[in-house]
Amino acid sequence: MLSLDPLSPEWDCPLGSKDLEEEEGPWGGGSGLPPAGCLPGSWCQDVGLDCKGSPEGAEARAWTVYYYSLLQSCLQQAGLPETQDRSQVPRTGCPGAEVTLCILGSPSTFLSVLLEGGVQSPGNMLLCLSPAWLMKVPAPGQPGEAALLVSKAVSFHPGGMTFLDDFVPPRRATYFLAGVGPGPGWGREAAELARDLTCPTGASAELARLLEDRLLTRRLLAQQGGVAVPATLAFTYKPPGLLRGGDASPGLRLVELSGKEGQETLVKEEVGAFLHSEALGDVLQVAVKLSGWRWRGRQALRLHQRAELGAVVDTVLVLLEKLEEEESVLVEAVCPPPQLPSPGSPSPGPELAVRICAVVCRTQGDRPLLSKVVCGVGRGDRPLRHQNSLPWTLEVALAQCGLGEATQVAVVRQRIKAAAEAALAAVLALEAGLSAEQRGGRWAHTDFLGVDFALTVAGRALTPVALELNGGLCLEACSALEGLWAAPGPAADAAAAAPLVETMLRRSARCLMEGKQLLVVGAGGVSKKFVWEAARDYGLKLHLVESDPNHFASQLVQTFIHFDLTEHQRDEENARLLAELVRARGLQLDGCFSYWDDCLVLTALLCQELGLPCSPPAAMRLAKQKSCTQLHLLHCHGPPWPAPSLHAVPCCPLESEADVARAVHQVPLPGVMKLEFGAGAVGVRLVEDAPQCHEHFSRISRDLQGEADHPGIGLGWGNAMLLMEFVEGTEHDVDLVLFGGRLLAAFVSDNGPTRLPGFTETAACMPTGLAPEQEAQMVQAAFRCCLGCGLLDGVFNVELKLTGAGPRLIEINPRMGGFYLRDWILELYGVDLLLAAAMVACGLRPALPTHPRARGHLVGVMCLVSQHLQALSSTASRETLQALHDRGLLRLNLLEEALVPGEYEEPYCSVACAGPSPTEARLRLLGLCQGLGIDGPNYPVAHFLSHFK
């Protein structure tokens, strides 16, 4: 038999009124004091646990000391160093301008989260061991809400290093997660601290009350998530509103009671009907238990044979006396473990049972993601609980019970994943319908769940049956499993808390940026529509400077300033004029940035005038002019080594036919000719010899003279060109986030072969298929080139080729990557380059995970009007592609508005498919392109995708 409920040591005692007295809390003591003498250790006891200005009583002090000792014990068992006390020298920081992830609760419960936070955001993951270390202060301009300040905490750093720190001034929490609920410890205080904060919270008493109600969650999972739950008969006394009415759920019978006394006849009838119902199937035992917030962690559970009608009725009647409003007595099926074949001879002992616990986290776009599965194995003749069995991986646990075939185990894992993710999706859907007051605050949301499963047979298939939601205990089980790899041995997989910490950072970024006032210089075209939607979502207050007085974005911003941005020879003068306009309008800006190539230098000059953060104008000019970039880096020989010069490519600037004649003798041919200030690969061409160089220079000089000839590709800066050496190799994009000259994040994508002699992009794949060492070389090359040009702060896109001798630079785009890149990175990694760029513009270090992990693979192709006009007007029309996007069958990024063919063109759109592997994504995309008419003899998609094998 299998049960996952926390049980008293006397779970199998005969029933009597004495046995059903409220049991002690999880620490085994009823005095409100922590257990004494159970944490032996050699760590230093003389540490500064007192918080100045917040004295603690004896009982509270005892809990603080206990939790500190528990932390040291956890660190010791994980093979990590003891916490160092540096509270005598308070830490200073930038309150309100730095990420502060704060946890209040048991160290053993949250250890996995704390250690992962120390890796992903060093020094910003804080554990508070006492509510006295925290303080709520009213938030100006936000009635009813309060900021949470941290005066003292244990900070976590890479390598498991921890420090006991005081903060003067106090740090302002940007995310708060606490163990809330009744019972000993800080649950009640934590619940009050978490209520109505100005920062995101991952738990609240209001939400916990809902999730701790087994009856409510089972009905929710069964109805909304399609998750299997045990057949259950519930007697509920004055049920909460969420349980009243609604459709019936299969296998769940709800009986509303008007009173607790005189219910013998009703109970006997209902129990009798339930025990004889088909919903129980082949179940031989039932469990009787209490359900409700008050009974969290102290269950009075009794097991009975299904045939024992009288005993079940008696137990229900006794438990009814203990009910308060909105509580229930449950009679539920005990799911029998599957009869799995035993390897070798049958064991003489009792049959083994498995408890399965899955941790699932909310990720970007409110999508659930299974993080880890942990199992417990024990005797099948008594219930299992979280803390009385060792943690095992699913593969090992099932093998011990006789299921070792890899394919079958993979099927079980997939069913657990589907059920756990459906459970969180159902909870998030429930929360979406609740008011801020019902959730415990505007920022209160559930960011992770622990789901306990029984594995049973249903319809001849192994099926996970959800028993309850158990976040803290499941996290603790994951920490215990991950602790197995603390000593030297096989490497563990990703931490269970990794997606949760990424969500903490993402929500912290939103918190830091909400209400920030930003000036955007240059609105861009249709491919940048996402900017205005994202700004509204993040709560940014945007002000726009734009040349087009009728631009659609003029209606979507706080302030619109019509200003001619096309005269780049006058950028310095225009920056001064714009600064005067900003001051005249009284704009109180937190930052200023641009993602539009033409406006990057002007933006840097304007930031300089306004005293706002930005890379120096000289660095932006250097990166903007392609020949200057290469020639400057060719002379950056170091130290330090490797120097940027290793990545630069010889080139010559071209402003006249005489320059061309000189360049063909200085640059080895074949070479590449391109516009100095160009974008989108417009006018870029492979040239084999001197006549081709002169011909291409003449054609560009004639056809592309100014902005009106091809808007948006940099012709406002002139039509000067350059000739650079053609470099053999595969092409890659590296998108970087830099802050203060430090690399915070890098994302590498692969490009397919182009249609020579042109260089318009054809296909792309993300994440990169390069070997880890090659990927690291690409990232470091891009980073060195940016630093070599003086680009220290911002989001930059660097195009490189990987040759046999290493990475070589094509060009630096000193702004966020264009086309599909922002969308793909957000989809795969949950990192928004737009938000990162906005944070850097405000002088804030972007809240990014140190090592973001991709959630899958994307492979895409570009569609060109010159090649796909017929398909884009019929089988692959914009409406058709959008419909397929909405159904999740492809990922569409529209880059141009109109189907206008021309000799010099940019891609019309990007069409991509996702998959768990690049091969699967590639095959899906190839089939889709063949069906839509995108693939063809003159546009061989299979060839363009060939690099991604």
Side-chain angles (χ1 to χ4, degrees), residues 258 262 319 349 422 478 531 554 690 750 774 790 890:
S258 57
L319 293 180
C478 291
V531 171
S554 64
D750 305 337
Q774 292 175 311
L890 61 76

Side-chain angles (χ1 to χ4, degrees), residues 188-259:
R188 291 181 176 86
E189 293 86 347
E192 182 53 42
L193 283 170
R195 186 171 290 114
D196 295 323
L197 292 179
T198 57
C199 71
T201 58
S204 69
E206 289 77 3
L207 292 176
R209 277 182 176 274
L210 300 177
L211 301 183
E212 290 292 337
D213 188 326
R214 281 191 182 87
L215 179 58
L216 176 61
T217 53
R218 283 187 185 174
R219 180 161 150 175
L220 178 68
L221 299 192
Q223 285 188 345
Q224 304 298 324
V227 180
V229 298
T232 304
L233 169 65
F235 296 95
T236 179
Y237 178 55
K238 296 184 178 179
L242 289 171
L243 276 174
R244 296 194 189 111
D247 298 331
S249 302
L252 292 181
R253 166 72 175 158
L254 176 64
V255 180
E256 294 187 25
L257 302 176
S258 57

Side-chain angles (χ1 to χ4, degrees), residues 867-868 870-872 875-876 928-936:
Q867 300 297 315
H868 301 114
Q870 183 176 350
L872 292 171
T875 52
L928 197 74
C929 289
Q930 290 169 345
L932 292 172
I934 295 171
D935 182 39

Side-chain angles (χ1 to χ4, degrees), residues 275-507:
L275 294 179
H276 290 92
S277 69
E278 294 182 359
L280 287 181
D282 297 329
V283 165
L284 299 177
Q285 289 183 308
V286 294
V288 186
K289 62 179 71 171
L290 288 158
S291 173
W293 166 258
R294 198 164 52 101
W295 299 100
R296 180 189 188 213
R298 47 184 193 177
Q299 290 298 322
L301 174 147
R302 294 295 176 266
L303 294 172
H304 297 284
Q305 296 300 313
R306 181 176 177 178
E308 297 174 348
L309 172 61
V312 175
V313 170
D314 290 343
T315 303
V316 171
L317 291 172
V318 171
L319 293 180
L320 283 180
E321 298 175 6
K322 309 183 88 54
L323 289 187
E324 292 185 0
E325 291 185 11
E326 301 189 353
E327 294 179 346
S328 306
V329 176
L330 307 184
V331 183
E332 67 178 46
V334 176
C335 301
Q339 302 296 314
L340 300 175
S342 299
S345 57
S347 170
E351 185 182 13
L352 291 177
V354 184
R355 182 198 71 235
I356 299 172
C357 133
V359 172
V360 58
C361 302
R362 182 164 73 104
T363 63
Q364 169 66 32
D366 289 344
R367 285 175 294 189
L369 177 71
L370 178 69
S371 175
K372 183 157 287 190
V373 176
V374 181
C375 298
V377 179
R379 291 166 57 113
D381 60 348
R382 61 182 58 185
L384 292 173
R385 58 185 291 193
H386 270 275
Q387 294 166 335
N388 71 355
S389 61
L390 295 172
W392 301 93
T393 62
L394 178 67
E395 289 73 14
V396 172
L398 292 180
Q400 288 178 261
C401 297
L403 186 66
E405 208 278 313
T407 305
Q408 292 178 311
V409 174
V411 169
V412 172
R413 177 177 288 277
Q414 181 56 39
R415 288 173 181 163
I416 293 169
K417 173 180 171 66
E421 292 178 353
L424 180 54
V427 169
L428 297 181
L430 171 69
E431 288 183 13
L434 301 177
S435 66
E437 183 180 3
Q438 289 172 313
R439 293 196 315 273
R442 178 170 59 101
W443 287 91
H445 289 286
T446 297
D447 286 332
F448 79 99
L449 283 182
V451 189
D452 281 326
F453 290 103
L455 190 63
T456 191
V457 175
R460 302 185 65 184
L462 285 173
T463 303
V465 176
L467 301 179
E468 63 181 340
L469 306 181
N470 228 333
L473 290 173
C474 286
L475 270 183
E476 196 164 23
C478 291
S479 296
L481 180 64
E482 291 163 8
L484 294 175
W485 285 273
D493 57 0
L500 173 57
V501 174
E502 291 175 14
T503 295
M504 291 174 157
L505 290 169
R506 190 160 46 248
R507 296 188 68 193

Side-chain angles (χ1 to χ4, degrees), residues 922-947:
R922 179 174 56 85
L923 292 175
R924 287 178 183 174
L925 179 63
L926 184 56
L928 197 74
C929 289
Q930 290 169 345
L932 292 172
I934 295 171
D935 182 39
N938 296 325
Y939 203 81
V941 172
H943 169 64
F944 300 144
L945 303 182
S946 60
H947 283 190

